[in-house]
Structure formats: structure tokens, C-alpha cells
Amino acid sequence: MSATGQSGFRYIGKKRRTKEDPRFVTGRGRFVADIALPGMKHVALVTSPHAAARIKAIRTDKALALSGVQYVLTGAELCAGTEALLPGVDAPKVTRYPLAHGVVRYAGEWVAAVVADTRALAEDAAEKIEIDYEATEYVLDPEKSIAPGAPLVHPAHGSNVLYRRKFVWGPVEEDFARAEHKLALRVRWGRSATVPIETFGIAAQWDPGQQLLDVWASIQMPKYPDQIARALRLPGNAVRVHFDVDVGGSYGVKRGIKHTVLVGYLAKKLGMPVRLIEDRLENMRGGDMHGPDRIFDLQLAFDSDGTIRSLKIRALDDVGAYAGRSPLQLGKPVGAIVGPYQIHSVEYEPISVMTNKTAQEAVRGFGQSPTNYALESGIDAVARHLGMDRIALRKKNFIRKDQFPYLIPSGTSYDSGDYHAVLDKALAAADYPALVAARDAARKAGRLAGIGISSCLEPSGGNSSFEPLFNPKNETTTWMDSCLVRIDLSGAITGVMNTSSSGQGHETLVATVLGEVLERDPDTIRVVHADSLNALPSNSPVGSRMAIMLGGAAAGAARKIKATLLAIAAHNLHKDVAELEYHEGSVSVKGEPGQTLSWAQLVEIAHRKFHQMPPGLEPGLQAKFVWEVPTGGGLPTADGRIQMYPCFSFEAHVVLVEIDPETGQPKLARYACGHDCGVMISPDIVHGMTFGGIAHGIGAALYEKFAYSDNGQLESQSFMDYLIPSALEVPALTIADHCTPSPHTTFGQKGSGEAGYLGAPAAIACAVNDALAPLGASIAELPMTPLQIWTRMQLARAGN
Amino acid sequence: MVPMKAAPFEYARPETLSEACSLLAEHGPDAKLIAGGQSLVPMMAMRLARPAWLIDIARLAELQHLTAPAEGHADEVFVVGAGVRQCVMERDARACANLPLLAKALRWVGHVQTRNRGTIGGSIAHGDTSAEIALTACVLDAMLELRDTAGVTEISAREFFLAPMVTAILPEQCLAEIRFPVWRSADKNIQRGCAFEEVSVRHGDFALVSACAQLELDADGRCLRAELGLGGAAPTPLALPEVGAQLVGAKLDEQAISAAAAAAVELADPEGDLHASADYRRHLARVLVERVLRAAQQDARSKVGT
Amino acid sequence: MSDERLYSVSIEVNGTLREAQVPARLTLVDFLRDTLRLTGTHAGCEHGICGACSVLLDGEPVRSCIMYAVQADGRKLTTIEGLAQPDGSPGALQDAFCEAHATQCGYCTPGMVIAAHALLEANPAPAEQEIREAIGGNLCRCTGYQQIVDAIKLAADRGSKGGL
């Protein structure tokens, strides 16, 4: 590991083109909708128009009578033929199947699936399916949902609460009693999600001769093949998931279990290849793709000098009608519950509650960005309360760089960081004095302008410690990832990864790491995605983990190859390995450059000349490496302390927002982000994901919301109403890099797949509130739309 | 369920306008005209519209004309074929010179890709209250020429829009051309200006509210003529001739502008939706009327001496 | 199959005349992808907002999801595949997208390249705001647009107009 940061590498950290870009820019990516299987049939879905109802009857005869229609599947058949999908927490009565059976629990829930020769014909037939419903009581508000007497989304579960626990880490009450000041605030994170431009899709084909289900899917899901096989009552080795499908964006959301169980069942049942490509409206309404929807109640205890002593957070999360992994999104933030601050004790009460809405899935950061927004709102509230500068307050409470490793009250140790330096870099990149001058000039001219600051963590290296924390029956303590490296007879290098990618540039990552270790040009290295029957264990690119985990596994495999080459050379040069040196693939005797075996010679010995191989070595030249998450492997303590993730990236955002004082429209005038994710393996990729994360955060802060009507209908189910920021809403973005290597990883790298998103909403909310402050107005709910902002301005003006 | 593939339909691409009118007469309400299709095709995808026949008039040469009035005539009309694409209009120097308000309105219409397909007539015939071209036609008091097999009917744009997505056009009629009055005169002392403003959540989205105005001022800055209107503030695009008349003879100082905006809001009748409440729309209407009056005045003054 | 009436279309796609019998309701994007198997053009929303399906119709960018194939009969189309070099390697504009790493998942990329190509054809030296307006009808969820804007600037600086 390089202690000096970004320097000292051959390929890592250098400006290099990615391996993936050429196929994407020429339209030669291979996405799931590009896969055409001979004789493939198409699915259209019939969905519930009710937020809650009993299904009295389903009549399919008119649909089946249309030419080109192959089959209509309903919940009764599917529930009998498959296992229920797994909930993420211990809630066995919250059962779920891909199609509703007897009861629907949200508007948009799938009720029947039509299979036809084309998607258009399937839609024609879907219109002809007649369903009798008896509407029942529903609940849409999470606070009403936990109140006594609320209609139960799953009556068998006995409550709408999926998970609730009050964690107390450290002397919270004592710290509150001792503090000179206390304050409480409530902030709300609106229901938005990642909304990739490609919807979810899956194609499946059953081979009765091999008894094998082939699956191509737009997927980003740990243990996906296992879950499919289990639900379809197939042995794990009867499902082959092809991970060489390019995924058109995911950012957490593309889990697709229910889609795949449905299509896999149909493909097997009908003996025909079947595909389901969600259309956009399905994707928005029924495809399990809404994100956290949280009410945070915070209390902070602090002293007059700005020292924050203790923190209480109650987080009420509306996860919609089913469990999935959504409650666990309240679990991951346990590992960074104090953010970058030295806070002595914490009380945290996560409450996961069901309502009659679309179910929640993973969103970039897995619950961390909402938590960061709440925490940063609390920090700003303290600054306002004390009349203290927001930057000075942050710096006063930041964990200092000499305090790492730093153990936070909830049991996680932060690896490394220099928060003061990164915030300073962000302020410099934004030209903070000029920003203040611009804000003040705008205010003098009668306009509204505000500066936002946020300083947030990105836990990275994706572990699953929240699983045993939130579900004692789940003792998962490894979240390994793997890489296989092969050197073929020609000397060419192939890296094999074991999951699909959704834009993170993993092929470039693996090639760069293999090139770095083996000192071979990454451009000559091929990287392929194994299918699930060929694959080594992987837990997919979730939790900002692949630079660490796949990068670490690739390095581990490459080092094994290197060790083998050295052993072959030692044997043939009759020297100890210690007497040899490796250089760009050839091995020489130190000080005797004539005594060299070239890469080609070494490879040929391994592949052809067993008689020249050292005893005990396997012929051929390949190596696998399976890596457990560094710092992982532990179970939580009784009071719920756990090492959550291994590495902690840091980002500081500085933003200037202007608000039209008459219309309430916000405009981002300047945006800078200081970012430290340790050693960047591919700077262009890190920057790209960070820019994208910021844009996504701008959406969550200002534009995007899955809004429901009072009768439980999703009102923002098209791109006309769910507003993703365009190039005209996202301003020019500046990133200032900093590098504090992680001691836990191969090259000092940390994760960056969620970067930008983890601090942008907090910073923008802070800026909007700074802009509104002269009016005496404030806003504590995302997204801060023009309507919301104007409403707050009106209320404040009326109050004046 | 919400479909995304259109229900089946039959397609015809007539060679002449008269042939198109015959097809409309033959199929009646089952038929729908398509030109650019930028609003219709999404509605058909969701099966909110499901015509049995789609009659494609995009290529009819008879609908592609842009005819400027001859020089020297006061208050002549600029004739725009209904099938003229928005991008063509945008790039046409004579059209922009004669109809500066429409030129400004077009900048707010959708995105490059939609303006490349969308037509002037199609936007009007669609009848959306927030459509910029429809608002401009109302404010300028354009005349619409409707064709059917029986001949030609004319209707003022101000009478054309009846309710959201409902217009006075009959199922057998085709909007053939729009005659926009051109404001000009030989008197060099008259200053002319116009402005178009709107508020949408994102650029290129449907306007929450839009407003536009066109003015003539004398050398002293006194208003000789004023037309203005609001989009998205009522079930239909709203021309406000009575508010314009109120400004004639006045200097457009802040008091006059504020009074005009208040009068405009009195006439507005907005609906609330996900992105804007009725109150917010009313407020935006006031703000935008003030802004376009200021900006149009500024525009007029900036032309002094040119 | 159904008894839906089929219409003859004859469309020049990337310089090659393509003829087919299609139902009237087949969108242009489905025609390109499913009938011609030119899968570089992507469907993102199918209601004319996201721009992923953008293609050049007689040189102008349009959304192929809100146009029926029958409407393109007799016209000339250029798709993302048509902007590559004959051997399939990136054309000049596409190369600039690679150099600036203007793509991540690659799903919006074809539409972005098409929009950028049309911009640079009309305006070889666009200002940043003009670039943002030209791609304002194309949504991207990965990049925050920064590296896309950079790529288009780079292509303009190189004096390239995309393609060959």
C-alpha cells in the first residue's frame, strides 16, 4: 500500500480510457432488451387499480380468445407453484409472491400476467381481463399506519410495523442532562428513487433436456441466482444467470426477484422463451423501485462552544406494502450514525412501517443519504441556535485526522480521513469568499440567495452486517467477492468477474488492477463476466464495494499468479525467490540482467513444460482469490454494536442557490464538492460517478417525488410528472480530490459508487434554507419544489 | 394496467388536403389526424387516445407555406401552414421578424427533438392550455382556417379553445393554416416590443403558467396598443384584450403594470395539480404578467432609433 | 400471430434501404430494434421525454419512440450505429465521448451522441449553454452531464463533427 496517496503506481490513478466506453458510444452494448431468443414471447401485466382490495373474481377467457395470446397467469397458480419471496427481516407472515393472490395491497400491484407473441398483443389481451374487486380500507400515512386501529396491510402480521428497536449506545441521558443546550427538529425525506433510464427487464428460457433455466436480466442483486432457484423450487445449479448483460443503470434498485420468478415460472411452464421488459409506467408504479420515505425526529445536546455531546434519532420509514430488503436501509446508517463528528453517545430508533404503497427497494447509499440529510440539518440547527458559523461548528466537531482509527458509539471503527482538509478544499474550489460576496450582493439587490454546506460520509466496502443486526435469525457474516485470473498459452491475460455491471466500469477496474500487479498493459487484458454456474462467489456491486472488494480480489489473484511465475523462474534459474526480481512479466536474477526468463517463456513452461515446473505446482496458469470484507466477520453485540462497513469515504459540498423571490424557483448557481475516497483506481470513473451522484442528489433535493393522491394512486408515474434533472437543471460541477488511503485495502482505495448523492441533498437543503432565512422562512422536507418553497415564503410573509 | 403500446389502428397518408378531408369525412370521429405526433403518440401509447384511423398530414405540401405580408401594408397577416414544423418556423428569418412574439414563444416549446417534429398547427389543434403556440395565437388574435370536404371555415383563435384538450374543431375538419396579424406601420415613432415568460419546474416541461405580451408605445412611452395573455391559468389559453385595452393611453409605470396584472388574475381560473396549486398558479399569473409587460416595454425601448 | 393489417415501409437506414411490412402501431424505435435488429437505439420511457431513443431523421434529431415506423416511410434515418466508422470502431464524436469518459451505463449514450452530433453539425463551436440546451431533452442518470458536456466541447475543439 502506498502511504503517500495517489502516487507511486504504474496504472492506478492515471488518466486512462475505460474498456467499456467504445461499445457504449457505438451502440454496441448488450442490454437485456437487446437479447432476442428464437420464439420469444412477451409479458404484459394487469395491475390493481385499488390501494387495497379483495380480489373476488378474475375472468381471462376474452383475453385468451385473442389470437397471438399464449397464456394468462394469475396469483392462484403462481402461489401454488412457487415459494414466497424472502423478507429482509424476521416477518414470516408478510408473505409475498410476484402476483397478488386474493388481496391487493397497493395500486399498481401485479394481479395477472399475459403472455403473447408481441408485447402489443399482450397489452391488447391484458385490457380484456376482467377482475372484480371489493375495495377495502387502506393506509397511506406512515404515522397513521403505526397508530392503533389503522387498517393492517398484512393482517396476519398483526401490525404495520415491520421492524422497530431502540438502540442506546453510550450514556445518552447523562450526556443530554449535562449539555448546556438541547434542541429538537423534524425533517422529512420524500419518496424518490434512482429511476435508471433503462427499466428492469428479464428474459428466461427453460431447457427441459438439461433441466436448466437460463436467465438474462438487468440485475444488481446479491445472491440473486440463489433466491430465484429457491422460489422456483429448483436446485441452485438449475438456474444459470448470465452476468454478461450490460445493465442500463441501477444505483441499487434493480433487484428484480419478483420479475424473475414470474418470468422463470412462465418460461418453464410454457416451454418457451419469455421476456418481460417493464415499460416506464410499470417501472415507476409496480416495479418495486421506490426509495426511502422517512420522517426523522432528531434531538441534539450541545454546549455553548459548539461541542455536540449526544444525539437522538427516530427514523420512521414508510416502506410500502411489502418487506423486501427495505427495512435494512435503516440498518446500514448505524455504521455512520454520527457522520464525521465526534459525538459521544447516540440513541437511534429505526421504525420500518408498511403502508398501501409501492414497495421500497435499495437506493444508492442504502439509507445513508437520508440519514446524512437529517444529521446535517441537525448540525445547521445547532449553528443557528448558537449563532455560530456553520463551517466553524463542523470543524470543531470533526473527528481529527490523528484520531483514526476512530470508534463511534455504535461499534464501527472509521478507517481514516482528513475531514478538515477536504472541507477546506471544497471551500477553495467554490471560492468561498467570492460565494459569500455573491450571496450578499444578491441579497442586497433584493434577491434570495443562500449557501449550503454539507460534510458527509460514504461507508464503503459493502458488507451485510445490518442483516444479523436487524434479524437475529440471519447470521450472515461474510459478503465476499472474488476474481479469477487466467493467463493463456499466448500469454494473454483474462480476468473473470462474477457479477454484472451497471455503469461502474468494473472491466476497467479489474484490468487496471491486474495490470498494476502484473505490470502488464491493462489495454491488453480482457475482462469477462462469468455466468452464475461458472462464477466464484460475489455479492454484486452494492454498497460502494467493488473498488475495494473486486479490486482487492483481482489484486489477490494477480499476486498468486506473480508468485507462481517467480516460483517457476526460481526453479529454472536455480535461485531462491528472494534472489529474483519481477519486472513487467519477466523474472531476472537480481544484479544479473542476463539471467532472465521472459513472460512468454514462463507462460510456456506453465502450459506445456511440466518437466520444468517446480514440484507441487499445478500446470497451467490461473489463480482465484475470494476475499472476505476487511474488518468483517463479526456478529453484533447484544446492545447492537457492530462493525458495519470497513472504509469511509468523505465528501464536503459547497453550493450557492438563488431563489426567485417571486416564483420560488430555485437555481443552483455554483457547485463544488471536495471528495476523498482514498486512492482512486480510475479517476475518470470516480469523478463520473460523483458527478452523477450529485445530479441524483439534486433530483432528490429539488425535483423528484413519487406522490400519492388521497385515494392511494401514484400521481407521478410518468416522466412528465416524476422530474429527473436535465443538463439544464444540473449546473457545472467542480470536484476537488483529496486522498487519505485506507489502511484496510490493497492499494488504499475506498468506495465511491454512491459519492455525491450522500451529501448533495443535505447541502442543497442547507442552501435553500440559508436563502429563505432573511424572510424568516424555512423548509424541512424534500423535495423542495417551487410550490413548496413558495408556500413557505407566503407563510413567512403572512406571519410578518 | 397502463399500456405503453398503442391499440391497433389503420394508417393512411393522403397525397392532398382534399383527400385527407375525404378520409376524415369517411371515418368521422374514429379518425385522428397526425402531423408531428409529439402529443398524440404518447397519448396513444398509454391508450388514452385510440383512434381507429390515423391520417398522416405531415407531408402535405399544402400545409407547409410561410407567407409574409407584402411590404407597405399595415396590419397584414403572416400566414403559416398548419403543417409547418416548429423548427422551420424558428429558423425562418422572415417569420421571426414579422412575428417576434411567436419566435420568443417557440424557445419555450419542448426540446430540440420535439420541435423538429412538432408543427405549429398540431400544437394549436391539441388544445393544451399551457401550449405556448396556442397562447400566442390567442394573444395575437390569429385566425384559424379549418378545412373539410364542404370547404373552408374560419374561426378566431380566441374562440377556438373550449376546455382542456377540447377545441371547436369538428371531427371532419383539418386545421389548414393560421393567419397571425403582423403589427407594423409606416410611423417610425411607434416602438414595438414583446415578451414571453413562463414558469415550469424543469426547463422544457409543460408550463405551470406562461404569459406573453406585445405592445406598441409612442415616442413618449405611452401605450398605443397592448395585447397579453396567460397560459396554464385557465382551462384554455387566455387572451386578455380587456386588460390590454386598459393599458392603452397609459404610461406603463409600475402602478399601471401592477393594475394590469391584478386585472389579469381576476380573469384567471386555474386548476391545481401535483406541481402547482391553484393559488400558486394565480400568484404566478400575476408575477408573469408584470414581467412580460416590463420586458415588452424594455424590448420596445431597446429598438428606439433602429 | 394476429390479423393486424401490415403496411409496406421503405426507409433508408444508415445508408442502406430497408424494406419491411409492419403494423401501423409499430413505433420507429421498435422497428429499428426488433425488425432491423439495430439495438443501439434504446427505449427509455416510450412517451417522448427521456431522449434515449433519439435518431436523426433526414439529419435532424427526433424521438423514435413517439413516431410510428409508417411515418418514416421514404425517409432517411441515421442511428448511433451509423455514426461509427465502417469497421464499427468509434467515429470522431464517439471517440471524444470515450476520451472524456462521457458514458457510464451506456443506456442514454446513443441518444446523447445523436443530439450532440446534430448540435455540432449546426453549430461547430457551441457555447456551454448551447450544449446544455442541445442535450436538454436527453436524460442521463449516471453522469450528471458534466463529462458529456466536456466530451462535446472536446469534439468541437477537435473540429470534429461526429461520424467521418
Side-chain angles (χ1 to χ4, degrees):
Chain A
M1 196 208 86
S2 163
T4 54
Q6 199 66 58
S7 58
F9 295 108
R10 183 183 292 256
Y11 300 114
I12 283 175
K14 302 293 190 287
K15 161 78 188 170
R16 297 179 56 79
R17 290 192 173 200
T18 73
K19 298 189 92 65
E20 295 86 348
D21 286 355
R23 70 174 184 264
F24 292 142
V25 300
T26 52
R28 291 175 189 277
R30 185 167 174 266
F31 297 89
V32 63
D34 302 343
I35 290 161
L37 303 169
M40 187 165 68
K41 305 301 176 191
H42 304 260
V43 175
L45 296 156
V46 182
T47 61
S48 166
H50 298 283
R54 271 185 283 280
I55 300 169
K56 309 292 284 183
I58 303 178
R59 289 180 293 282
T60 62
D61 44 329
K62 286 180 189 161
L64 285 166
L66 289 185
S67 69
V69 175
Q70 303 290 341
Y71 199 67
V72 176
L73 178 67
T74 61
E77 179 187 337
L78 187 63
C79 294
T82 59
E83 295 298 315
L85 309 183
L86 287 175
V89 289
D90 185 17
K93 298 288 173 58
V94 181
T95 54
R96 181 178 206 191
Y97 293 87
L99 298 178
H101 178 38
V103 173
V104 289
R105 296 184 171 88
Y106 64 96
E109 183 167 6
W110 301 351
V111 178
V114 182
V115 185
D117 293 348
T118 67
R119 168 69 189 223
L121 292 172
E123 291 189 8
D124 294 347
E127 285 188 319
K128 304 229 178 274
I129 292 176
E130 298 163 334
I131 303 175
D132 298 337
Y133 293 99
E134 180 187 320
T136 53
E137 276 197 293
Y138 52 86
V139 60
L140 301 171
D141 181 325
E143 294 191 287
K144 289 182 182 154
S145 180
I146 55 170
L152 294 180
V153 181
H154 291 265
H157 183 65
S159 150
N160 287 327
V161 175
L162 264 176
Y163 180 82
R164 180 175 198 157
R165 180 172 172 187
K166 187 180 280 187
F167 297 95
V168 180
W169 299 302
V172 173
E173 294 307 331
E174 293 88 327
D175 286 342
F176 264 77
R178 233 176 272 135
E180 293 166 18
H181 304 271
K182 301 167 195 64
L183 64 78
L185 72 155
R186 165 172 278 213
V187 296
R188 182 155 194 170
W189 176 279
R191 178 173 277 248
S192 59
T194 74
V195 193
I197 304 301
E198 182 206 49
T199 61
F200 186 83
I202 182 231
Q205 175 167 261
W206 174 253
D207 181 336
Q210 295 192 73
Q211 292 285 298
L212 182 62
L213 184 74
D214 278 296
V215 172
W216 295 261
S218 177
I219 200 72
Q220 182 202 6
M221 174 72 193
K223 302 185 170 64
Y224 171 80
D226 312 84
Q227 289 207 36
I228 303 313
R230 184 195 146 277
L232 291 171
R233 298 173 182 155
L234 292 170
N237 62 8
V239 173
R240 178 166 59 189
V241 178
H242 296 263
F243 290 128
D244 58 348
V245 173
D246 290 316
V247 179
S250 175
Y251 332 98
V253 86
K254 281 188 176 155
R255 302 306 171 106
I257 300 292
K258 74 173 186 183
H259 307 64
T260 310
V261 172
L262 174 75
V263 171
Y265 178 87
L266 285 166
K268 184 164 180 284
K269 162 106 188 175
L270 302 179
M272 305 169 180
V274 175
R275 87 169 186 189
L276 166 61
I277 307 293
E278 286 180 334
D279 67 48
R280 178 53 60 185
L281 274 59
E282 264 162 19
N283 172 262
M284 306 279 272
R285 194 164 79 140
D288 294 358
M289 54 85 63
H290 293 188
D293 182 355
R294 289 191 191 169
I295 299 169
F296 290 95
D297 288 298
L298 279 90
Q299 296 176 63
L300 292 108
F302 50 99
D303 291 341
S304 298
D305 68 353
T307 303
I308 299 169
R309 287 173 172 267
S310 187
L311 171 68
K312 296 181 185 178
I313 304 178
R314 177 183 186 266
L316 179 65
D317 196 15
D318 174 356
V319 302
Y322 292 95
R325 290 175 66 76
S326 50
L328 302 174
Q329 295 201 76
L330 287 164
K332 170 178 165 179
V334 166
I337 199 70
V338 294
Y341 307 110
Q342 307 180 48
I343 299 178
H344 184 240
S345 61
V346 180
E347 176 187 297
Y348 179 53
E349 185 180 16
I351 310 167
S352 180
V353 56
M354 292 181 286
T355 60
N356 293 99
K357 294 181 192 159
T358 296
Q360 186 187 112
E361 249 320 337
V363 164
R364 196 179 212 143
F366 209 60
Q368 191 68 51
S369 190
T371 309
N372 288 349
Y373 159 63
L375 189 56
E376 291 296 284
S377 298
I379 300 295
D380 288 334
V382 170
R384 273 196 303 277
H385 185 94
L386 294 175
M388 194 169 168
D389 177 70
R390 293 170 294 175
I391 296 165
L393 178 68
R394 283 175 168 80
K395 286 186 171 176
K396 177 164 186 64
N397 288 284
F398 274 163
I399 298 161
R400 295 188 315 273
K401 68 176 178 182
D402 58 8
Q403 291 178 292
F404 293 97
Y406 183 89
L407 181 67
I408 66 169
S410 54
T412 288
S413 178
Y414 293 171
D415 57 338
S416 64
D418 188 348
Y419 307 151
H420 294 84
V422 177
L423 177 54
D424 282 339
K425 279 193 176 178
L427 293 166
D431 192 355
Y432 187 67
L435 217 60
V436 172
R439 175 191 66 181
D440 294 347
R443 285 179 176 176
K444 259 192 196 127
R447 305 201 305 273
L448 295 173
I451 295 171
I453 309 277
S454 72
S455 42
C456 300
L457 290 178
E458 178 183 359
S460 63
N463 206 343
S464 65
S465 307
F466 39 74
E467 288 184 353
L469 180 65
F470 270 33
N471 182 359
K473 292 182 184 163
N474 181 342
E475 289 204 339
T476 301
T477 58
T478 178
W479 207 238
M480 63 287 192
D481 230 291
S482 319
C483 187
L484 174 69
V485 179
R486 293 196 189 102
I487 318 297
D488 62 31
L489 181 53
S490 77
I493 304 168
T494 301
V496 183
M497 56 176 290
N498 307 289
T499 183
S500 45
S501 302
S502 38
Q504 305 93 333
H506 298 141
E507 294 162 31
T508 303
L509 164 69
V510 171
T512 306
V513 167
L514 296 180
E516 184 70 38
V517 175
L518 294 172
E519 302 174 26
R520 308 292 288 179
D521 181 355
D523 288 349
T524 66
I525 298 173
R526 183 173 299 281
V527 179
V528 299
H529 301 252
D531 65 54
S532 61
L533 294 185
N534 280 308
L536 298 167
S538 170
N539 281 287
S540 88
V542 297
S544 283
R545 68 198 304 273
M546 292 311 253
I548 296 167
M549 295 305 300
L550 179 57
R559 284 170 181 166
K560 284 188 178 176
I561 295 280
K562 198 169 168 180
T564 301
L565 294 171
L566 282 163
I568 294 170
H571 184 68
N572 285 278
L573 296 169
H574 311 293
K575 298 283 181 186
D576 284 343
V577 167
E579 296 172 272
L580 302 177
E581 63 188 359
Y582 180 99
H583 180 65
E584 295 181 353
S586 62
V587 179
S588 310
V589 179
K590 285 178 188 165
E592 294 178 52
Q595 286 265 66
T596 297
L597 280 170
S598 70
W599 175 263
Q601 288 170 313
L602 292 165
V603 168
E604 185 163 34
I605 291 168
H607 275 285
R608 285 187 194 276
K609 300 180 175 174
F610 195 63
H611 59 284
Q612 291 187 29
M613 285 291 278
L617 274 195
E618 287 176 8
L621 201 47
Q622 62 180 340
K624 76 169 170 78
F625 193 90
V626 183
W627 203 25
E628 162 67 339
V629 180
T631 76
L635 286 168
T637 59
D639 66 348
R641 293 173 202 251
I642 180 83
Q643 178 74 33
M644 192 64 68
Y645 281 16
C647 302
F648 292 81
S649 299
F650 177 75
E651 57 194 59
H653 297 242
V654 181
V655 53
L656 175 66
V657 69
E658 289 210 29
I659 294 174
D660 185 316
E662 292 184 305
T663 67
Q665 286 176 289
K667 182 181 185 316
L668 299 174
R670 181 89 179 90
Y671 205 114
C673 175
H675 185 220
D676 181 358
C677 62
V679 169
M680 292 187 288
I681 291 172
S682 302
D684 276 1
I685 291 177
V686 170
H687 292 151
M689 292 195 292
T690 309
F691 289 133
I694 291 170
H696 184 192
I698 290 169
L702 298 176
Y703 299 102
E704 299 176 26
K705 184 172 185 182
F706 289 113
Y708 278 83
S709 69
D710 290 343
N711 61 352
Q713 300 297 320
L714 178 61
E715 293 184 303
S716 43
Q717 61 176 339
S718 82
F719 275 178
M720 283 177 274
D721 288 313
Y722 188 90
L723 306 178
I724 290 176
S726 79
L728 295 162
E729 282 71 49
V730 178
L733 305 169
T734 306
I735 296 172
D737 295 319
H738 190 79
C739 179
T740 313
S742 173
H744 299 315
T745 61
T746 327
F747 305 104
Q749 74 270 36
K750 302 182 180 183
S752 65
E754 298 155 352
Y757 185 65
L758 294 185
I764 294 163
C766 176
V768 168
N769 278 312
D770 188 43
L772 295 178
L775 295 178
S778 67
I779 181 163
E781 181 171 349
L782 303 185
M784 298 174 169
T785 63
L787 173 61
Q788 291 282 351
I789 292 172
W790 175 78
T791 303
R792 299 292 164 163
M793 285 164 43
Q794 288 300 99
L795 287 171
R797 282 169 175 152
N800 293 342
Chain B
M1 79 158 220
V2 187
M4 265 326 226
K5 306 287 184 195
F9 60 87
E10 305 278 326
Y11 172 82
R13 192 166 62 235
E15 301 282 330
T16 64
L17 181 54
S18 121
E19 202 188 320
C21 292
S22 299
L23 285 165
L24 279 177
E26 185 185 338
H27 299 294
D30 291 342
K32 190 95 182 140
L33 296 174
I34 186 166
Q38 300 299 284
S39 302
L40 179 60
V41 177
M43 290 174 67
M44 289 175 64
M46 296 176 208
R47 303 196 181 192
L48 301 170
R50 42 196 315 159
W53 276 88
L54 206 55
I55 299 164
D56 186 351
I57 56 169
R59 297 183 209 185
L60 292 182
E62 296 150 276
L63 304 182
Q64 303 297 330
H65 50 293
L66 281 173
T67 314
E71 286 297 325
H73 291 272
D75 284 6
E76 280 289 351
V77 294
F78 192 103
V79 183
V80 179
V84 170
R85 289 181 298 138
Q86 292 151 11
C87 64
V88 170
M89 188 89 196
E90 236 182 332
R91 292 193 290 250
D92 189 285
R94 286 174 319 152
C96 293
N98 280 281
L99 300 172
L101 182 60
L102 185 57
K104 285 178 180 170
L106 284 168
R107 289 180 207 157
W108 295 92
V109 177
H111 296 285
V112 178
Q113 291 98 323
T114 45
R115 295 195 297 273
N116 282 339
R117 289 290 295 159
T119 63
I120 301 294
S123 175
I124 291 174
H126 184 58
D128 192 310
T129 170
S130 65
E132 294 85 358
I133 297 166
L135 174 61
T136 306
C138 286
V139 165
L140 294 179
D141 200 13
M143 287 301 289
L144 312 181
E145 183 186 295
L146 309 176
R147 288 276 296 270
D148 59 20
T149 50
V152 174
T153 310
E154 292 191 354
I155 183 169
S156 158
R158 293 181 182 176
E159 290 162 12
F160 183 69
F161 300 101
L162 304 178
M165 311 291 198
V166 181
T167 68
I169 202 163
L170 299 171
E172 64 270 23
Q173 288 178 323
C174 171
L175 174 59
E177 67 181 31
I178 305 99
R179 296 193 203 115
F180 289 96
V182 177
W183 288 19
R184 63 185 189 191
S185 73
D187 186 345
K188 297 286 181 203
N189 289 321
I190 295 178
Q191 301 156 12
R192 225 165 266 112
C194 65
F196 198 108
E197 288 281 338
E198 70 180 46
V199 171
S200 55
V201 183
R202 286 179 310 186
H203 296 78
D205 284 338
F206 288 111
L208 301 179
V209 175
S210 54
C212 66
Q214 183 155 299
L215 305 172
E216 278 182 359
L217 307 179
D218 69 14
D220 295 332
R222 205 167 293 279
C223 182
L224 298 172
R225 187 177 180 190
E227 291 289 357
L228 66 157
L230 285 164
T236 64
L238 194 62
L240 299 163
E242 39 300 65
V243 181
Q246 178 186 319
L247 290 168
V248 172
K251 287 223 177 191
L252 297 187
D253 55 16
E254 279 302 306
Q255 194 181 350
I257 286 172
S258 171
V265 171
E266 281 299 306
L267 296 164
D269 177 23
E271 297 271 325
D273 64 20
L274 187 59
H275 303 294
S277 62
D279 277 349
Y280 183 43
R281 281 202 163 88
R282 254 189 292 277
H283 169 79
L284 292 177
R286 179 191 300 270
V287 169
L288 290 178
V289 166
E290 289 176 354
R291 285 184 184 182
V292 293
L293 288 174
R294 282 188 212 117
Q297 181 171 221
Q298 184 68 32
D299 184 43
R301 285 183 178 156
S302 71
K303 291 172 185 160
V304 172
T306 62
Chain C
M1 290 296 290
S2 85
D3 45 10
E4 220 170 312
R5 180 165 157 195
L6 299 179
Y7 296 79
S8 295
V9 293
S10 168
I11 304 173
E12 188 185 312
V13 182
N14 301 329
T16 305
L17 193 67
R18 309 295 295 262
E19 295 179 321
Q21 299 279 315
V22 299
R25 62 169 155 171
L26 186 71
T27 58
L28 185 57
V29 64
D30 286 349
F31 171 75
L32 290 169
R33 293 180 49 78
D34 299 340
T35 310
L36 302 186
R37 295 295 302 148
L38 285 169
T39 54
T41 303
H42 297 154
C45 71
E46 296 185 275
H47 56 277
I49 306 288
C50 79
C53 65
S54 296
V55 297
L56 299 172
L57 177 69
D58 295 326
E60 296 173 333
V62 301
R63 289 171 168 152
S64 63
C65 77
I66 50 171
M67 182 167 177
Y68 298 112
V70 287
Q71 291 175 279
D73 180 35
R75 314 280 301 263
K76 288 184 185 173
L77 286 179
T78 305
T79 68
I80 187 67
E81 290 92 343
L83 297 183
Q85 300 192 49
D87 67 355
S89 61
L93 173 60
Q94 293 167 329
D95 185 75
F97 268 61
C98 293
E99 180 62 23
H101 184 51
T103 161
Q104 287 177 42
C105 79
Y107 203 76
C108 77
T109 308
M112 285 289 180
V113 173
I114 289 285
H117 178 88
L119 168 70
L120 295 177
E121 286 285 311
N123 180 359
E128 168 148 350
Q129 186 60 23
E130 290 172 318
I131 293 172
R132 288 182 180 271
E133 278 168 19
I135 61 169
N138 293 71
L139 298 177
C140 171
R141 210 49 167 161
C142 291
T143 64
Y145 308 100
Q146 186 64 51
Q147 285 154 313
I148 296 173
V149 172
D150 294 345
I152 298 169
K153 280 185 193 164
L154 177 65
D157 287 348
R158 285 174 169 178
S160 61
K161 292 183 176 180
L164 291 173

